[in-house]
Amino acid sequence: MPRKPDPEAQYRISVHIDKGYRYASTQPAQVDPETGRRTYRRIHWGTVDENNRFIPGKAYIFASLEERSKLIFPEGWDLSETEKLSGKRKPGRPVVESQDENRLYGDIWLLEKIAEATGIRKDILKTFGGNREMTDAVMTLAVYLLCGKGTYNQLSSWRRIAKAPYSKPLTSPYITKLTQMITEQNRIDLLKLRAARLKSHELCAVDSTSRSAWGDSLADIHYGRNKDHLSLPQTLEVVVYTLDGHMPVYYRTFAGNTPDSRSLETILHDLDAAGFKDVVLITDRGYESIRNLELYIDKGQPMIMGTKVGQKHVQEQIEAFGTFDHHPEGMEIDTEGRIYYKQFDLEYQIEGRRDNVKKADRLKLNLYFDPVRRSSDLLDLDVAITTQRKALNSIMADRTPLDDDATIKRAYCYYKLKYNETTRILEGFELNEKKVAKKKREAGFFANTTLKIKADPVLAQHHYKLRDEQEKYFNMMKGIMGADRQRNWSESGKTGRLFILFVAQILGCYLGNVRKSKLNDKFSSIPDVLGEMRPIRYIEHPNTNAFITPFVGQQVDICEAFGFDIPEGCAPEYVVRKTNKGKPGRPRKNKLVVKE
């Protein structure tokens, strides 16, 4: 009769000697789903010296506390090195045991306080099962995107002059292994925690940007509509940005040739899986389609969607106004926005399973008219028509062969061309009266569509305009953080790097919002705020407590703007406080007495 398998066998640590190195390893079993064969893989949790002293490796350091607790070490092994990990340290400021250090710290201190204020550090810690080493490493990589310069290749040298959250070296191979350990499950777990922090009916803008790449190893890298106008393949990065909290709450990458309208179904599926409830999604015209409208209705998702005025149902309303002098009759005026508006109720229903019919809830079209915009549009139209006519006359006079059909259709969109298909010589052209008339009719009009929200056209347009703030998010990502390129080669590494970039963007968005609202008169950008804080130093000497240099001048103003308490002993010497008499004032100075 065969022996019963020991359920703890996969967690028993044993010594594995390979090429002269002694590894503390386990051999958990795996079953191949195709062949059904049982295989064993070896996991090295660290090394073991001749005295059986266990030295943790990357697998042990970045494992969750639950995984660590399952490991069964042989009796007699020295596990003292595991007690030095930050996850097992006792609370309080640790005594320095290494060499003398004098490192920059102020900007990092500020970002760490922001991580606590936004709850992102707490959420990362929970995502990785309470592993503080993993949390500190992720925070270090995220902070470097804001405080450091260059790629992660320079991070090791930066850590020698800056007091980073993670105390161990972070070399390029180490960073690669770290980012590859971050999984899709970690991404979803973090998004669930961030979703739980949102208020009910939070306004969330959905938009995308392209990120160029030099390589071609990633599956998502394709040629698409590059928003930076670079002739490079790209990926498409989608972000959901909360307009109330001023920070990102969701992210995902798509293939570089994916239109925005085709990505919405995946986004809605992700948001539902991550627990995003009662949020109002705001999208631009790139996400507009009948398919997406039906998705919104089917899921009962409140939304504000930019709408093209060329749509048939919008054109019908514009044509119903007829000819007008100053503005269409029947439209009301927004005195503050200086535009005219009118709201229309729309009826739309979708057929579900078993002949069920679902009707749209409060589906409305908001149509706007801007006289100033109309004047500008008509002027631009006249300029385009005249410029195209001059170019076509020159081409016909010189008998220059035309470009391909797609190019000439785009370059001379207001004219009908007649040319020899063999030689591509232009023989004649005439104005496309129907297209010009349609363009004139649409001039000055713009629209949006709302679903399942109580908002008049003025409020709907106010909410929609807020999405412009999201562009600052993309500018920060591609500018300050230098994340305008894909800098990794593996799919697993890309997952980890996007996770870290998302964390850095939360820190940067919070910092940028406070700077704009409270420090705009003193600092013009995020780097200016971090640069002012950077000279504060963290000084360490062996066998003594660490020391932080004083906060002075505008550094104190920054702390007050963020509402952060200055570390004990670092505040200005004299502060306004209550005296024993209950009146504010400076404490009395001690007097020097000269003895005779």
Side-chain angles (χ1 to χ4, degrees):
M1 185 176 181
R3 292 185 301 172
K4 293 182 179 180
D6 182 4
E8 295 183 346
Q10 59 181 327
Y11 304 116
R12 295 189 186 279
I13 299 286
S14 61
V15 177
H16 174 236
I17 300 177
D18 183 22
K19 298 179 181 180
Y21 294 97
R22 292 163 52 88
Y23 296 101
S25 66
T26 57
Q27 281 187 288
Q30 288 183 322
V31 178
D32 192 321
E34 296 182 359
T35 63
R37 295 183 58 183
R38 184 184 295 270
T39 58
Y40 296 87
R41 63 187 182 96
R42 193 177 292 276
I43 302 176
H44 291 163
W45 297 97
T47 57
V48 187
D49 62 14
E50 297 298 334
N51 297 321
N52 288 334
R53 184 168 65 98
F54 172 65
I55 303 172
K58 289 190 287 291
Y60 186 89
I61 291 173
F62 295 136
S64 65
L65 300 184
E66 183 182 1
E67 281 185 283
R68 293 181 189 175
S69 64
K70 292 180 180 179
L71 298 177
I72 304 172
F73 289 89
E75 294 184 8
W77 276 27
D78 181 3
L79 304 179
S80 59
E81 290 296 321
T82 64
E83 301 297 326
K84 296 180 181 180
L85 297 177
S86 61
K88 292 190 175 182
R89 289 175 184 162
K90 296 180 180 179
R93 184 176 292 181
V95 174
V96 179
E97 298 178 354
S98 59
Q99 61 185 5
D100 299 280
E101 297 284 2
N102 181 9
R103 292 177 287 183
L104 302 173
Y105 183 58
D107 51 349
I108 299 172
W109 174 87
L110 179 63
L111 292 175
E112 286 189 299
K113 296 293 288 185
I114 291 175
E116 294 176 6
T118 58
I120 186 62
R121 170 177 274 279
K122 185 177 180 180
D123 290 345
I124 297 172
L125 186 64
K126 192 171 183 179
T127 297
F128 294 116
N131 188 320
R132 293 189 184 178
E133 280 73 28
M134 191 72 167
T135 301
D136 288 344
V138 169
M139 285 297 303
T140 297
L141 295 175
V143 165
Y144 178 76
L145 293 176
L146 290 163
C147 299
K149 293 182 179 180
T151 64
Y152 283 145
N153 294 332
Q154 285 80 43
L155 190 142
S156 293
S157 58
W158 173 76
R159 281 189 66 259
R160 287 195 290 270
I161 62 171
K163 174 63 177 175
Y166 190 60
S167 59
K168 298 183 181 298
L170 282 171
T171 60
S172 295
Y174 204 87
I175 294 171
T176 299
K177 292 293 183 183
L178 169 64
T179 54
Q180 290 177 348
M181 294 177 72
I182 300 175
T183 64
E184 175 69 9
Q185 184 63 55
N186 297 140
R187 183 183 81 94
I188 294 296
D189 289 344
L190 181 63
L191 294 181
K192 287 180 179 179
L193 294 170
R194 300 310 295 175
R197 295 179 179 275
L198 296 182
K199 300 180 297 184
S200 180
H201 304 295
E202 188 106 15
L203 297 175
C204 294
V206 182
D207 205 354
S208 66
T209 189
S210 56
R211 291 180 69 203
S212 302
W214 287 297
D216 57 0
S217 59
L218 299 178
D220 290 330
I221 291 179
H222 285 80
Y223 278 96
R225 188 175 181 180
N226 196 303
K227 296 182 180 180
D228 297 325
H229 307 291
L230 299 174
S231 57
L232 290 172
Q234 64 188 32
T235 60
L236 191 71
E237 309 298 338
V238 172
V239 169
V240 175
Y241 182 91
T242 169
L243 301 174
D244 297 322
H246 308 283
M247 66 178 58
V249 291
Y250 166 88
Y251 69 97
R252 173 175 272 284
T253 185
F254 288 92
N257 59 350
T258 305
D260 285 343
S261 60
R262 296 301 304 275
S263 66
L264 185 65
E265 185 175 7
T266 306
I267 296 170
L268 292 177
H269 180 76
D270 266 5
L271 294 176
D272 185 57
F276 285 82
K277 306 294 183 184
D278 298 325
V279 296
V280 180
L281 298 184
I282 303 177
T283 58
D284 61 17
R285 292 177 297 176
Y287 291 89
E288 184 197 23
S289 70
I290 293 298
R291 175 185 174 86
N292 289 342
L293 177 61
E294 292 182 349
L295 281 173
Y296 281 131
I297 296 172
D298 185 42
K299 292 182 176 293
Q301 174 63 59
M303 64 82 177
I304 303 174
M305 179 172 60
T307 304
K308 301 181 182 72
V309 293
Q311 294 286 2
K312 182 179 179 181
H313 66 286
V314 183
Q315 284 287 314
E316 291 174 352
Q317 301 301 333
I318 294 177
E319 290 175 359
F321 289 126
T323 58
F324 54 89
D325 294 327
H326 182 264
H327 71 276
E329 293 295 331
M331 298 190 84
E332 299 181 48
I333 186 170
D334 174 16
T335 55
E336 292 186 7
R338 302 177 69 83
I339 59 174
Y340 297 87
Y341 64 87
K342 188 173 183 179
Q343 189 174 76
F344 303 89
D345 292 327
L346 300 179
E347 292 185 2
Y348 197 90
Q349 62 184 29
I350 59 175
E351 295 182 1
R353 297 179 180 178
R354 299 179 182 178
D355 297 328
N356 290 332
V357 175
K358 182 178 289 188
K359 294 185 178 180
D361 181 11
R362 286 167 285 174
L363 181 63
K364 299 180 184 297
L365 169 68
N366 299 308
L367 187 61
Y368 307 89
F369 177 76
D370 184 349
V372 177
R373 182 172 177 173
R374 179 179 179 83
S375 175
S376 177
D377 290 346
L378 292 176
L379 178 62
D380 291 341
L381 177 63
D382 289 341
V383 170
I385 291 173
T386 303
T387 303
Q388 291 179 24
R389 184 178 67 249
K390 289 181 178 179
L392 290 172
N393 282 327
S394 176
I395 290 173
M396 193 162 60
D398 297 340
R399 299 186 62 79
T400 306
L402 295 171
D403 294 322
D404 59 274
D405 290 348
T407 302
I408 62 175
K409 185 178 180 180
R410 182 173 59 252
Y412 312 109
C413 57
Y414 294 115
Y415 287 89
K416 297 177 182 179
L417 308 185
K418 183 180 179 181
Y419 57 91
N420 187 307
E421 294 184 358
T422 304
T423 62
R424 299 195 69 81
I425 299 299
L426 182 64
E427 298 175 351
F429 61 90
E430 62 176 331
L431 189 65
N432 189 335
E433 299 287 354
K434 185 177 180 180
K435 189 169 186 178
V436 172
K438 180 176 181 291
K439 198 71 176 179
K440 288 181 178 179
R441 187 168 58 249
E442 296 173 356
F445 286 96
F446 57 99
N448 62 55
T449 303
T450 62
L451 175 70
K452 208 177 177 181
I453 64 171
K454 295 180 180 179
D456 59 24
V458 175
L459 182 59
Q461 178 62 11
H462 171 73
H463 289 338
Y464 184 78
K465 288 170 62 178
L466 290 175
R467 57 173 295 280
D468 292 340
E469 182 181 321
Q470 191 173 20
E471 294 301 324
K472 299 176 183 178
Y473 171 96
F474 294 133
N475 291 337
M476 179 173 62
M477 180 182 77
K478 295 183 177 183
I480 299 171
M481 296 183 179
D484 56 333
R485 300 287 189 276
Q486 290 284 355
R487 303 184 187 276
N488 50 284
W489 57 270
S490 68
E491 291 293 332
S492 56
K494 183 186 72 172
T495 300
R497 290 203 177 217
L498 287 176
F499 184 98
I500 293 166
L501 180 61
F502 178 68
V503 173
Q505 289 284 50
I506 291 175
L507 302 178
C509 287
Y510 186 91
L511 195 160
N513 183 55
V514 175
R515 182 209 66 78
K516 181 180 178 181
S517 59
K518 298 181 179 180
L519 296 169
N520 195 38
D521 57 332
K522 297 179 180 179
F523 302 99
S524 60
S525 65
I526 291 174
D528 287 347
V529 178
L530 295 175
E532 179 63 30
M533 296 295 294
R534 188 167 293 123
I536 299 170
R537 293 180 174 269
Y538 194 94
I539 301 173
E540 301 169 288
H541 299 298
N543 301 319
T544 62
N545 290 331
F547 175 77
I548 301 175
T549 56
F551 286 51
V552 297
Q554 291 184 330
Q555 296 166 354
V556 178
D557 298 334
I558 293 173
C559 293
E560 291 179 355
F562 282 89
F564 297 153
D565 293 332
I566 297 176
E568 185 179 354
C570 299
E573 183 178 1
Y574 295 110
V575 295
V576 176
R577 65 184 184 185
K578 286 188 176 181
T579 63
N580 293 333
K581 297 180 181 179
K583 296 180 180 179
R586 288 183 175 179
R588 185 174 298 173
K589 293 183 179 180
N590 294 326
K591 295 182 178 180
L592 291 174
V593 178
V594 180
K595 293 183 178 181
E596 296 181 357

